[in-house]
Amino acid sequence: MGAIPMNGLAQPGRSRIRRQSCLWFSVLCARMCLLLTLGVPAAASDPSAQSPSAWWSFQPLTLPEVPPAQPSPTAWSEHPIDRFILAKLEANGLAPSPPADRRTLIRRVTYDLTGLPPTPGEISDFVKDSRNDAYERVVDRLLASPRYGEQWGRHWLDAIRFGESRGFERNEIINTAWPFRDYVIRSFNEDKPFNQLVLEHLAGDVIGAGNPDVAIGSAFLVAGPYDDVGNQDPVQARVIRANTVDEIITAVGSAFLGITVHCARCHDHKFDPVTAEDYYRFQSVFSGVRHGERALESPEERRAREARLAPLESRRAVALEALESFEAGVLERAPAGDDAEPEYHLTPVHPHLTEDVFEPVEAKKIRLSIRSNNRDPRDAGGVRIDEFEVWAEGDTPRNVALADAGAVATGPSRQAEDFADAYAVSLVNDGRYGARWIVDGPAEMVVTFPEIERVRRVAFSADRTKALPPDSGEIVFVGEYRIEVSVDGTNWTRVADSTERPPLNEQFARERRLTAALTPEDLQERARLHGELLAIEAEIRKVPPARMVWAGGFEQPGAAAYVMLGGDPERKGAEVGAGSLSALDGVVEGFQLPKDAPESERRVALAKWLVKPDNPL
């Protein structure tokens, strides 16, 4: 068998599998090449002077007359696309390239379909294969390979701006974005039709409710970058939200329509027939989309998980009730007077600054023992400290805990995946505020001085510069603590603790009263009951939770959408509802939804409009 011609899509198009849609991405590219080959009517120099129907890309799709088959080269007459290309070549006095030899051909098609080179054995087998359908067999094998979806899915992921980090200034890694990547690869390998993919990208959670393999498709909406820093200024918050929705509109317009719909955000499009009203109809479609994770599981998976959890939760409730009943009994039999509120001379702990002053004492080491955070007396997780200062006695104040003074801080730290020292204990004595040591659970932090010092004051904080709002998640501070000093690192002396300060709330006060009332026997019983509770909770944690995926969330928009004059959310124009592009109303049946239409209905309507067979875009 002689050399096999490599003529466009003719030979791969005859493959026995994926004849219609497996190469839809390639076909789209071929369609654009064909339009360029045939010639495209130009738009007028002043787009605003033309009717939308004058745009070539907005014309109804038609089937052009296929050029007649040519006697030579015969291979270029087998497929309509090849005939168009051959006719244009001949009209310009050009001839097709000569057929590729087999070794070149298998390298080309293997790289094209899988992104990888063929193995020496695959090359040898193809070169020796004398069957008439040898090339078709190679194409079939490559299309059936998982590498096909990985190669072409990668291109589609680029087209729809998929990334596994949030972008913008924080750019945190999104560890649960990969299921959408795998879904795209799987869609290519399963020969999913393009119109189905579009439906799933915009409304997979609706049309695939209860089917995680379909619902994951709508993760497309949150696959791009977004500003997650936030802003306390309500005006700026509205601008950020408008920017977030604009990013989604940009992706939809570029990937599915091939036009820059987002250019109409501030005014009617300067070049394409897209009005500002059109843009804000799209904004109404996506105004309920929120970035974040959501659980994706089938009804069967949910029922199975709940069946495993139900008896464990029941046991946990019994164990918790037993522990709480025991503690209540301890408090009831506490000696009279134990509940009297003591007189405190210090203020409660505060994340802006907490200070302890004590009689001067010699120390080589000082230890901070964290018993709880400032939110829960039984939880020490998430405590943050931006600076820990130890002041020496003398006429001139001197912070002997500074690393610049030779002091060394040690203690456990939360580990960051992308930056090993992001929460390191060394941040507590670097002399700078802002970056914080973070520790999970009860912990001890020790600062060792280069020589013995006579110290009398300690100061520590979580937000010394008062840069964060009080309810910020960054301000998780010490709740209950103890401070001790040592000369030899073996014998420790307490110099201060949180019991000298008022409790932060009734929950902390109750915990202190309970601790004071517990006898040695009570401590043993409490430890036993608490151990039983922890054992059950450990079993609960072993049950795999619902799979959380970066697939976004959806909520019903609380207010009607409106045209933002000049793109400014503070300048409201006419109210609009979800709808399609008005320029196509005479070409494909559009849709206009009421302003209070359900959020899911908006995305489904747009998706169905996009994939209508008579939609030229």
Side-chain angles (χ1 to χ4, degrees), residues 540-563:
I540 291 175
R541 287 192 296 271
K542 291 179 181 178
V543 177
R547 182 177 58 157
M548 300 301 293
V549 178
W550 188 262
F554 309 98
E555 60 184 37
Q556 182 64 21
Y562 52 86
V563 174

Side-chain angles (χ1 to χ4, degrees), residues 270-553:
K270 294 294 186 181
F271 304 105
D272 289 334
V274 181
T275 66
E277 287 82 0
D278 287 333
Y279 174 89
Y280 287 101
R281 291 189 187 103
F282 272 42
Q283 188 188 73
S284 178
V285 171
F286 300 114
S287 58
V289 178
R290 298 285 173 175
H291 287 69
E293 294 181 329
R294 74 170 186 267
L296 283 184
E297 58 181 349
S298 67
E300 294 76 18
E301 290 172 330
R302 184 179 65 256
R303 286 193 292 268
R305 178 170 52 82
E306 292 173 349
R308 291 184 61 183
L309 285 174
L312 293 173
E313 293 288 0
S314 178
R315 288 172 52 199
R316 180 184 182 278
V318 172
L320 182 60
E321 183 180 3
L323 178 59
E324 291 176 345
S325 176
F326 168 77
E327 292 178 347
V330 171
L331 288 173
E332 286 179 0
R333 65 174 185 266
D338 279 8
D339 290 337
E341 186 70 18
E343 184 177 352
Y344 298 104
H345 301 287
L346 299 177
T347 59
V349 295
H350 198 285
H352 290 163
L353 180 63
T354 295
E355 288 186 295
D356 282 293
V357 180
F358 40 86
E359 290 296 321
V361 60
E362 289 189 342
K364 173 78 171 177
K365 297 175 179 287
I366 189 164
R367 180 167 68 188
L368 170 68
S369 298
I370 299 173
R371 304 299 180 83
S372 82
N373 61 39
N374 62 342
R375 301 186 178 188
D376 185 342
R378 298 188 180 185
D379 181 12
V383 168
R384 291 155 162 80
I385 296 179
D386 61 2
E387 201 69 13
F388 185 86
E389 302 167 349
V390 183
W391 296 90
E393 182 185 33
D395 296 334
T396 303
R398 185 165 54 94
N399 178 12
V400 296
L402 281 171
D404 287 348
V408 177
T410 57
S413 303
R414 177 184 293 180
Q415 297 300 309
E417 293 182 5
D418 53 345
F419 181 24
D421 296 327
Y423 315 124
V425 69
S426 58
L427 297 172
V428 303
N429 67 332
D430 61 357
R432 296 189 296 270
Y433 307 119
R436 299 168 180 83
W437 172 50
I438 303 180
V439 60
D440 291 324
E444 294 180 346
M445 185 269 293
V446 176
V447 177
T448 303
F449 314 129
E451 57 187 34
I452 294 176
E453 300 282 0
R454 191 168 177 81
V455 299
R456 65 181 304 271
R457 180 164 65 95
V458 169
F460 54 107
S461 56
D463 182 29
R464 188 75 62 91
T465 60
K466 305 178 183 179
L468 299 170
D471 59 350
S472 169
E474 294 296 310
I475 304 184
V476 181
F477 191 47
V478 170
E480 302 285 11
Y481 68 91
R482 183 173 61 199
I483 296 175
E484 300 164 290
V485 297
S486 176
V487 173
D488 57 11
T490 301
N491 301 295
W492 294 87
T493 302
R494 184 192 69 83
V495 293
D497 64 44
S498 54
T499 61
E500 300 172 9
R501 301 176 181 276
L504 291 170
N505 52 42
E506 178 54 35
Q507 189 181 12
F508 278 81
R510 180 185 184 279
E511 187 69 18
R512 287 187 183 181
R513 292 195 302 269
L514 178 64
T515 301
L518 288 168
T519 65
E521 293 77 14
D522 291 334
L523 286 171
Q524 289 184 353
E525 179 62 11
R526 187 193 192 200
R528 184 187 68 80
L529 293 172
H530 192 242
E532 290 180 356
L533 178 62
L534 291 178
I536 297 171
E537 291 177 340
E539 290 186 59
I540 291 175
R541 287 192 296 271
K542 291 179 181 178
V543 177
R547 182 177 58 157
M548 300 301 293
V549 178
W550 188 262

